[in-house]
Amino acid sequence: MSSDAIPEFHKAKAGDGRDVSLTNLSAFSGGPGVKSGREVAAIVVVAVIVIGGLEFALRFFEVPQYIMPPPSLIAWALFDEFPLIAPHLGYTLVELLSGFAIGAVVGLILAAVVTQFPFAEKIVAPYILLLVTTPMLALVPLLILRFGFGYTPRIIAVALAAGPMVMINAATGFRRVDSAKIALARSYGASTLQIFWKIRAPMALPMILVGLMIGAIFGLLTAVGAEMVGGGFGLGNRLTTYSSMIQMPQFFAVVLILSILGILIYVLFFLIGKKWASWEA
Amino acid sequence: MNTGDAKTPKLGVREATKIYHTASGDLLALDRCTLHVAANEIVSVVGPSGCGKTTLLWSMSGLHGLSDGEILLDGKPVTGPHPDIGLVFQEANLLPWRNLDANINFPFEIKGEKPDRAWIAHLLDRVGLDGFGGKFPRELSGGMQQRAAIVRALSLKPSVLLMDEPFGALDSFTRDEMNRLVEEIWLDAPTTIVFITHSIEEAIFLSDRVIVLSPRPGRVAKEYPVPFPRPRSMEIMATREVFDLTNAIKMDIVGGRAGTKARRPAETAA
Ligand SMILES: Nc1ncnc2c1ncn2[C@@H]1O[C@H](COP(=O)(O)OP(=O)(O)O)[C@@H](O)[C@H]1O
Ligand SMILES: [Mg+2]
């Protein structure tokens, strides 16, 4: 940025780039939180009514199991089949964690570097947009041709799905220059590196966390999708297997596991955000 | 008080000219602005909004360079941020992700120096922030945030303190309180202070001299000595002398804005 920039304090409040992301930090201000006893009771009552109602309706109208098994059968299948499903959960987690780690690290580094050079950013931006908007799942058949049916194509697909999400959100964060805060650091003789670590990075942190959360969820989608395309293992493979054998309770048990994984990802980043980025809420 | 002509002034601004190069053309913000500040003098700078006050202060602090002219600290040119010059920004400008202690520690982290704990504790006590070290900026009132910003600036023991409309966002009671606090701090340990404000009363209450800048491009239009002894009481502010002085300054600012002679051809030509 120009060393001449004098912050327009009152304007800066309104929109210094805080609102240009896929989501925003309301993700960290609302959402799950400490609930009172009454709220917990209400949540449990509603859950019992919904699940019980579903159970009753499915049985009463004699809905065939291959359309939708009742919740009790899904729960039983989850319990009964879990020893067989568990290794596949492990494979999926390995793909998700390694692909996400690679994508997140590359995405963060790219975001940090590119936002330091507005010109470079203009050049890279369209490609990143392309990466964000293209479903990486589409590349999986190609990756399988090249890398076979092992972990490799899946990890690459997860990294390609998560990385750009992390990058685009982190870049939004890094772009949020508050010239007054940078001037503050410079008035004490801060170096560019110090300005990065002590001002830009903490200011970007809330957006980085949003990017990591979205990236992880996209990574999960992509991992499961890639497993459905080919290769004999992983939760996605279980979905195709169970559905082809019309084992619907087992099928829905896997769906349930995937939902729980997604929720855990959300809650994890929500809690991290609450701890480290709540200064902004 | 000596207004700085006798010996080398503590802070000198000589023919300071600043042109901003913007997308829509060049903008002359300061035009051969010259002023001197003596050691331990408090000088206020007032002027219509947009006349170049912040530009002048940032130049004095070494945060940005001049297009022409120079800034002298103890007779030596200032070419970049200087450890002897402390800056208090237009808003408290605390880092919201750090608590008060960590905010005050920030300059020392940047400089890789050890903070003088006893001095900081004394300052915190002085401004009434003792015991608030663990609070985050959002938990503090506007006045408390600005006190913290003052402590942060003074913690480095600068010999010159530059303040840019530090209390502009505060309500008038808090502002009066902050003005008395600045006076007390100065009486405790006199330093050279350049104080930018758009409140003429604040300028008169605090300073030895009030400098009126012309509308953009800023240059010194008028100077008024304020000869009242310190500590100044609020009663002084109700005297005839202060009333006349306030009106004179107000007329300078309003009159200067209405007049056309302040507009220089250089502004459009450059
Ligand atoms: N970084 C900048 N780039 C371009 N113009 C600027 C910049 N900073 C300030 N200006 C312009 O210079 C003039 C003086 O600004 P400033 O010093 O902030 O005035 P003041 O503090 O007296 O209100 C204004 O017209 C303002 O718009
Ligand atoms: Mg200003």
Side-chain angles (χ1 to χ4, degrees):
Chain A
M1 60 166 285
S2 153
S3 59
D4 280 337
I6 286 179
E8 292 270 348
F9 287 89
H10 302 288
K11 274 185 207 152
K13 288 273 151 66
D16 47 356
R18 279 169 207 217
D19 30 12
V20 262
S21 71
L22 295 174
T23 67
N24 65 35
L25 294 166
S26 49
F28 296 138
S29 38
V34 182
K35 301 215 165 40
S36 73
R38 273 173 68 104
E39 282 174 321
V40 172
I43 289 168
V44 169
V45 167
V46 170
V48 166
I49 292 173
V50 168
I51 296 171
L54 196 62
E55 179 87 28
F56 174 78
L58 289 171
R59 288 186 186 277
F60 184 82
F61 294 108
E62 294 177 351
V63 175
Q65 268 195 28
Y66 59 83
I67 294 179
M68 176 86 209
S72 58
L73 274 185
I74 298 175
W76 172 251
L78 181 60
F79 175 76
D80 192 42
E81 196 79 354
F82 193 75
L84 289 175
I85 298 176
H88 295 276
L89 172 60
Y91 306 140
T92 302
L93 284 179
V94 167
E95 293 156 16
L96 176 61
L97 291 179
S98 34
F100 174 71
I102 296 168
V105 168
V106 175
L108 279 178
I109 292 175
L110 277 179
V113 171
V114 147
T115 46
Q116 295 285 308
F117 307 100
F119 182 66
E121 196 180 359
K122 282 204 183 78
I123 295 176
V124 187
Y127 303 101
I128 297 303
L129 201 62
L130 198 73
L131 284 176
V132 167
T133 49
T134 308
M136 287 306 152
L137 222 39
L139 297 184
V140 170
L142 186 77
L143 291 171
I144 288 177
L145 270 183
R146 174 71 183 77
F147 298 103
F149 285 101
Y151 277 128
T152 317
R154 298 165 174 195
I155 291 175
I156 293 175
V158 171
L160 281 174
M165 290 296 168
V166 174
M167 151 132 199
I168 205 164
N169 283 283
T172 304
F174 284 126
R175 229 180 283 121
R176 280 170 42 175
V177 273
D178 183 334
S179 45
K181 298 199 169 41
I182 290 172
L184 175 79
R186 283 188 40 229
S187 78
Y188 303 125
S191 66
T192 309
L193 209 62
Q194 281 179 315
I195 289 176
F196 179 81
W197 284 114
K198 305 241 177 231
I199 305 287
R200 285 184 201 270
M203 271 184 58
L205 186 64
M207 283 311 303
I208 291 176
L209 289 176
V210 168
L212 291 175
M213 168 157 65
I214 300 174
I217 288 182
F218 267 70
L220 176 64
L221 296 181
T222 307
V224 174
E227 289 162 351
M228 293 172 79
V229 174
F233 60 98
L235 291 177
N237 166 266
R238 287 297 90 192
L239 288 177
T240 42
T241 309
Y242 288 134
S243 68
S244 68
M245 298 193 301
I246 325 187
Q247 293 186 323
M248 285 341 239
Q250 289 80 354
F251 177 89
F252 278 101
V254 175
V255 171
L256 196 61
I257 291 175
L258 290 173
S259 314
I260 293 169
L261 270 184
I263 290 170
L264 285 180
I265 290 173
Y266 175 78
V267 169
L268 174 73
F269 285 104
F270 174 82
L271 292 177
I272 296 177
K274 210 165 169 106
K275 177 110 176 65
W276 298 105
S278 61
W279 51 268
E280 187 158 77
Chain B
M1 169 155 244
N2 186 335
T3 52
D5 297 317
K7 48 184 167 54
T8 317
K10 178 73 192 167
L11 188 67
V13 177
R14 216 180 45 75
E15 302 264 296
T17 300
K18 176 77 183 174
I19 299 167
Y20 287 113
H21 305 282
T22 68
S24 53
D26 287 356
L27 187 141
L28 183 62
L30 287 180
D31 185 19
R32 283 168 289 156
C33 184
T34 296
L35 60 101
H36 300 286
V37 184
N40 299 344
E41 190 184 16
I42 304 182
V43 171
S44 283
V45 178
V46 297
S49 122
C51 74
K53 302 184 295 293
T54 299
T55 303
L56 174 65
L57 204 78
W58 279 43
S59 307
M60 288 179 175
S61 74
L63 265 178
H64 64 195
L66 288 168
S67 308
D68 199 16
E70 58 182 348
I71 308 292
L72 299 164
L73 179 71
D74 297 316
K76 291 186 213 65
V78 173
T79 52
H82 195 287
D84 261 354
I85 302 177
L87 191 55
V88 176
F89 289 80
Q90 215 154 332
E91 281 181 10
N93 206 9
L94 299 174
L95 305 177
W97 54 87
R98 286 170 173 249
N99 66 21
L100 199 147
D101 278 342
N103 262 290
I104 289 165
N105 217 26
F106 179 69
F108 299 94
E109 267 178 52
I110 295 289
K111 289 169 175 285
E113 285 171 15
K114 265 179 81 132
D116 181 342
R117 300 258 171 241
W119 172 238
I120 291 171
H122 163 78
L123 287 173
L124 284 173
D125 188 47
R126 190 83 195 74
V127 305
L129 281 177
D130 198 23
F132 285 88
K135 296 271 189 228
F136 283 82
R138 64 168 184 279
E139 301 172 297
L140 303 173
S141 69
M144 290 165 105
Q145 290 188 26
Q146 202 51 267
R147 286 162 206 252
I150 291 173
V151 171
R152 180 175 60 189
L154 291 177
S155 66
L156 292 157
K157 302 178 186 156
S159 63
V160 173
L161 189 61
L162 307 176
M163 305 175 89
D164 188 1
E165 300 196 25
F167 312 135
L170 304 180
D171 64 81
S172 63
F173 294 110
T174 314
R175 175 187 277 241
D176 288 347
E177 208 180 292
M178 298 299 290
N179 288 339
R180 280 195 295 275
L181 182 67
V182 171
E183 183 182 59
E184 282 171 26
I185 288 173
W186 185 87
L187 287 168
D188 263 10
T191 42
T192 309
I193 299 179
V194 179
F195 192 97
I196 286 181
T197 175
H198 54 243
S199 157
I200 297 171
E201 270 139 53
E202 185 172 67
I204 293 174
F205 177 79
L206 278 176
S207 8
D208 299 305
R209 212 154 31 108
V210 177
I211 290 177
V212 182
L213 289 192
S214 66
R216 208 186 77 222
R219 54 187 312 180
V220 177
K222 269 264 176 57
E223 259 191 58
Y224 295 90
V226 186
F228 308 117
R230 292 197 180 90
R232 293 174 182 174
S233 62
M234 282 296 159
E235 285 81 68
I236 284 186
M237 297 306 291
T239 59
R240 180 81 213 183
E241 277 163 288
V242 168
F243 182 77
D244 289 344
L245 189 55
T246 307
N247 272 333
I249 296 173
K250 211 172 270 173
M251 288 317 290
D252 281 339
I253 296 175
V254 176
R257 186 180 284 164
T260 49
K261 67 175 195 300
R263 288 247 171 274
R264 301 184 58 86
E267 185 188 344
T268 41

